């Protein structure tokens, strides 16, 4: 037997990771998007994924969230290999344990803001009244309760992103994936969305994978990982 028993992986902060990727490879046609990327995040950590355009940041996020299957390497969440789950199992994980915010809120235009935020709860079987009450509470936390009966077309971009953050956090996800969440906002609105996003995530203990190319957005994170040519490098380890 080897003297060197494998040790449990840790994040650079020393905590046990909740979500771990090792040696991820992904190619689109002839275009390599990931070429051996590693990543780990612990519960409650906010990690910024930075890097130039086309370096593989969004692909890394999609693989971590089980949206895109990697060609090689593994992603494990809470000790479970995502590749070992059925499509239905991965979908259930995305609905129950993960939350998502994208650059453009992607709210359902026909629904009011409150109905949009209530939607993830309704999809997991919460009754209409309770879902509405919890949605209203989250809209209050994100300081947009005044637009709860408006439709997405009737509110500003900054308000829309706050509604999107409320929708992403309403079912208490253990991981929040945010891909350029303030990319379409001016700097003042962007900063407020980031403050609210990070403080709400800290209150709930969610880990946050924050893809951004802006250092003032990454400043809200505990740790920065830089993706370059499909490989991820932790900046804590680079110091
Ligand atoms: N669905 C796809 N089909 C084909 N090529 C893709 C696809 N998604 C990503 N790519 C390619 O993979 C590479 C990495 O893309 P990715 O979107 O992950 O980078 P990124 O760092 O998030 O870029 P950006 O900052 O511009 O959003 C790029 O060359 C991109 O063109």
């Amino acid at each position: 037997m080897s003297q060197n028993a494998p040790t449990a992986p840790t994040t650079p902060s020393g905590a046990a990771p909740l979500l771990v990727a090792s040696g991820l490879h992904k190619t689109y046609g002839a275009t390599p998007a990931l070429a051996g990327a590693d990543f780990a995040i612990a519960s409650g950590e906010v990690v910024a994924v930075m890097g130039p355009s086309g370096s593989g940041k969004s692909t890394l996020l999609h693989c971590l969230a089980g949206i895109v299957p990697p060609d090689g390497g593994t992603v494990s969440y809470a000790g479970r290999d995502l590749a070992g789950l059925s499509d239905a199992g991965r979908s259930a994980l995305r609905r129950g344990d993960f939350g998502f915010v994208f650059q453009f809120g992607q709210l359902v235009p026909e629904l009011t803001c409150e109905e949009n935020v209530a939607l993830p709860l309704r999809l997991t079987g919460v009754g209409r009244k309770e879902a509405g009450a919890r949605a209203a509470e989250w809209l209050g936390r994100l300081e947009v309760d005044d637009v709860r009966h408006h439709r997405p077309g009737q509110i500003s971009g900054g308000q829309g992103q706050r509604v999107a953050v409320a929708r992403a956090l309403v079912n208490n996800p253990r991981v929040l994936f945010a891909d350029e969440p303030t990319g379409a906002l001016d700097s003042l609105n962007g900063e407020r969305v980031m403050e609210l996003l990070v403080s709400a995530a800290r209150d709930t203990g969610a880990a946050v994978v924050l893809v951004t190319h802006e250092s003032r957005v990454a400043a809200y994170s505990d740790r920065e990982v830089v993706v370059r040519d499909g490989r991820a490098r932790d900046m804590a380890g680079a110091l």
Side-chain angles (χ1 to χ4, degrees):
M1 216 175 95
S2 161
Q3 297 282 327
N4 299 322
T7 50
T10 59
T11 63
S13 63
L18 175 65
L19 183 64
V20 190
S22 326
L24 291 185
H25 283 80
K26 180 74 191 176
T27 302
Y28 290 106
T31 309
L34 293 176
D38 300 320
F39 182 87
I41 188 167
S43 288
E45 255 195 318
V46 180
V47 176
V49 178
M50 301 195 69
S53 182
S55 58
K57 303 182 295 295
S58 296
T59 305
L60 175 63
L61 181 145
H62 293 151
C63 289
L64 289 169
I67 296 169
V68 163
D71 300 331
T74 57
V75 177
S76 96
Y77 168 70
R80 277 174 296 171
D81 186 345
L82 292 194
L85 299 177
S86 62
D87 286 348
R90 274 193 295 276
S91 296
L93 204 62
R94 286 197 295 271
R95 272 200 311 273
D97 288 37
F98 297 167
F100 296 89
V101 186
F102 298 103
Q103 183 170 358
F104 301 99
Q106 295 181 332
L107 300 171
V108 181
E110 294 81 11
L111 300 181
T112 65
C113 291
E114 185 174 298
E115 288 165 345
N116 266 281
V117 177
L119 195 57
L121 296 170
R122 299 285 292 140
L123 291 173
T124 52
V126 177
R128 184 181 298 277
K129 208 166 160 193
E130 190 193 332
R134 280 165 63 183
E137 184 197 320
W138 269 98
L139 288 168
R141 285 173 84 158
L142 273 297
E143 301 174 350
V144 277
D145 34 355
D146 51 329
V147 298
R148 57 195 273 211
H149 299 305
H150 291 47
R151 291 202 158 68
Q154 303 169 310
I155 61 175
S156 72
Q159 288 170 326
Q161 286 306 83
R162 294 182 197 198
V163 174
V165 172
R167 183 183 58 181
L169 289 171
V170 72
N171 63 354
N172 279 321
R174 293 184 70 195
V175 186
L176 173 65
F177 294 96
D179 196 348
E180 302 280 9
T182 62
L185 304 181
D186 61 57
S187 58
L188 205 61
N189 270 306
E191 302 237 336
R192 192 68 193 129
V193 166
M194 281 311 302
E195 282 165 10
L196 291 164
L197 183 156
V198 168
S199 84
R202 296 226 188 269
D203 285 350
T204 62
V208 181
V209 179
L210 170 66
V211 168
T212 182
H213 61 271
E214 294 180 74
S215 43
R216 68 186 169 77
V217 173
Y220 288 89
S221 69
D222 302 317
R223 189 155 64 79
E224 292 177 18
V225 166
V226 173
V227 180
R228 228 176 263 282
D229 300 328
R231 286 172 174 270
R233 181 164 183 234
D234 201 290
M235 294 321 280
L239 295 176

